Amino acid sequence: MPANQKLVLITGVSRGLGRAMVEEFIRLGHTGLGCGRSQKEISSLEKQFGAPHDFAVVDVSADKPVAAWAKRILKSHGAPDLLLNNAGLINRNARLWEIGAQEFSDVVDVNLKGTANVIRHFVPGMVKGKRGVIVNFSSGWGRSTAAEVAPYCATKWAIEGLTQALALELPPGMAAVPLNPGIINTDMLRSCFGGSASSYPTPQEWAKIAVPFLLKLGASDNGRPLTVPIRGAND
Ligand SMILES: NC(=O)c1ccc[n+]([C@@H]2O[C@H](COP(=O)([O-])OP(=O)(O)OC[C@H]3O[C@@H](n4cnc5c(N)ncnc54)[C@H](OP(=O)(O)O)[C@@H]3O)[C@@H](O)[C@H]2O)c1
């Protein structure tokens, strides 16, 4: 692979930001690897983009399938240059005491434990080569709070802490950053913002700014909480 082409691994590529990012990375000549739970959407990505791109049905909240996926990808492609922990879930809008134990667990299992599962199985390969950037998707709500999304806020604040600690553990040459992507009109935003979500950029508009921003990240960014420079991202 030419030196300026990157191997980019993204969780949650079936829709939303993950889908838009993988399409934009591939359009720019990079290799896209990704997972999601929807068989239909993973098959559609496989049809759209053949080898060397690679898509798999993997639920990041389950450690064993993540381990098997990582083993296969590390063998066939090597360690990623850019690892984007993007897969995420938000609770339905409700006060904390109205949210059942299962729904609370689901949000933690995907947003926090899912990110740790992917790090557990992909990062040793990156550390071996002493290169690569890990981006853990946080949120404006990983640095501020709002009513009715307490479980989601808790996981994104945790992602900020987990990523800062990981940054202290990586060898020189690597980086881990928590990333606030801004506010983008996806299924997730429609769930918490309702109709007003439509006044925000589409994932495709966002990816045109986010992907070049992500491609520029390097060792000097290690441990820096970053925000994609789109309109309203710091509101
Ligand atoms: N949109 C925003 O304004 C915004 C703002 C701040 C932060 N974020 C963060 O940005 C990331 C992407 O959000 P989005 O707006 O694109 O959300 P989205 O439209 O709801 O898409 C979420 C993606 O994650 C995948 N996913 C969910 N659970 C998964 C699991 N257990 N295993 C594997 N994949 C899973 C989904 O695919 P399947 O259902 O097929 O698994 C889907 O591809 C999230 O981490 C979110 O918290 C978004």
Side-chain angles (χ1 to χ4, degrees), residues 114-180:
T115 296
N117 290 341
V118 171
I119 288 169
R120 182 175 308 113
H121 297 296
F122 281 98
V123 171
M126 298 171 76
V127 167
K128 213 172 180 183
K130 295 193 171 58
R131 53 191 298 277
V133 173
I134 302 142
V135 178
N136 294 331
F137 275 58
S138 176
S139 172
W141 288 338
R143 299 166 193 171
S144 67
T145 53
E148 302 200 330
V149 284
Y152 178 82
C153 285
T155 61
K156 294 302 183 175
W157 280 72
I159 282 294
E160 296 278 337
L162 174 142
T163 311
Q164 296 281 349
L166 172 65
L168 300 172
E169 298 167 350
L170 294 174
M174 290 186 67
V177 298
L179 180 75
N180 170 11

Side-chain angles (χ1 to χ4, degrees), residues 5-70:
Q5 285 180 13
K6 296 196 174 183
L7 191 57
V8 185
L9 187 131
I10 310 174
T11 64
V13 287
S14 50
R15 50 199 167 82
L17 306 189
R19 180 73 171 241
M21 282 191 286
V22 83
E23 291 181 349
E24 184 62 9
F25 277 115
I26 292 174
R27 194 185 70 77
L28 293 174
H30 304 283
T31 299
L33 312 170
C35 78
R37 292 166 308 175
S38 161
Q39 175 69 67
K40 182 170 166 269
E41 295 308 328
I42 293 298
S43 301
S44 126
L45 277 164
E46 283 173 331
K47 229 182 254 166
Q48 198 179 344
F49 305 109
H53 314 293
D54 188 303
F55 303 101
V57 176
V58 180
D59 178 341
V60 296
S61 69
D63 185 63
K64 270 197 185 150
V66 174
W69 178 46

Side-chain angles (χ1 to χ4, degrees), residues 54-209:
D54 188 303
F55 303 101
V57 176
V58 180
D59 178 341
V60 296
S61 69
D63 185 63
K64 270 197 185 150
V66 174
W69 178 46
K71 195 172 170 196
R72 182 176 71 75
I73 292 290
L74 292 170
K75 195 169 170 205
S76 60
H77 288 79
D81 300 302
L82 199 48
L83 169 55
L84 307 179
N85 273 306
N86 160 79
L89 207 61
I90 198 162
N91 57 280
R92 74 196 155 85
N93 289 1
R95 292 173 292 187
L96 180 56
W97 60 88
E98 296 164 342
I99 295 169
Q102 188 59 55
E103 185 173 5
F104 192 96
S105 288
D106 289 346
V107 176
V108 174
D109 285 353
V110 178
N111 295 4
L112 180 56
K113 291 162 81 176
T115 296
N117 290 341
V118 171
I119 288 169
R120 182 175 308 113
H121 297 296
F122 281 98
V123 171
M126 298 171 76
V127 167
K128 213 172 180 183
K130 295 193 171 58
R131 53 191 298 277
V133 173
I134 302 142
V135 178
N136 294 331
F137 275 58
S138 176
S139 172
W141 288 338
R143 299 166 193 171
S144 67
T145 53
E148 302 200 330
V149 284
Y152 178 82
C153 285
T155 61
K156 294 302 183 175
W157 280 72
I159 282 294
E160 296 278 337
L162 174 142
T163 311
Q164 296 281 349
L166 172 65
L168 300 172
E169 298 167 350
L170 294 174
M174 290 186 67
V177 298
L179 180 75
N180 170 11
I183 307 178
I184 310 95
N185 183 12
T186 63
D187 290 345
M188 183 180 285
L189 195 73
R190 288 186 283 278
S191 159
C192 53
F193 274 31
S196 67
S198 62
S199 60
Y200 291 90
T202 64
Q204 290 71 26
E205 289 165 342
W206 172 85
K208 290 262 184 275
I209 294 162

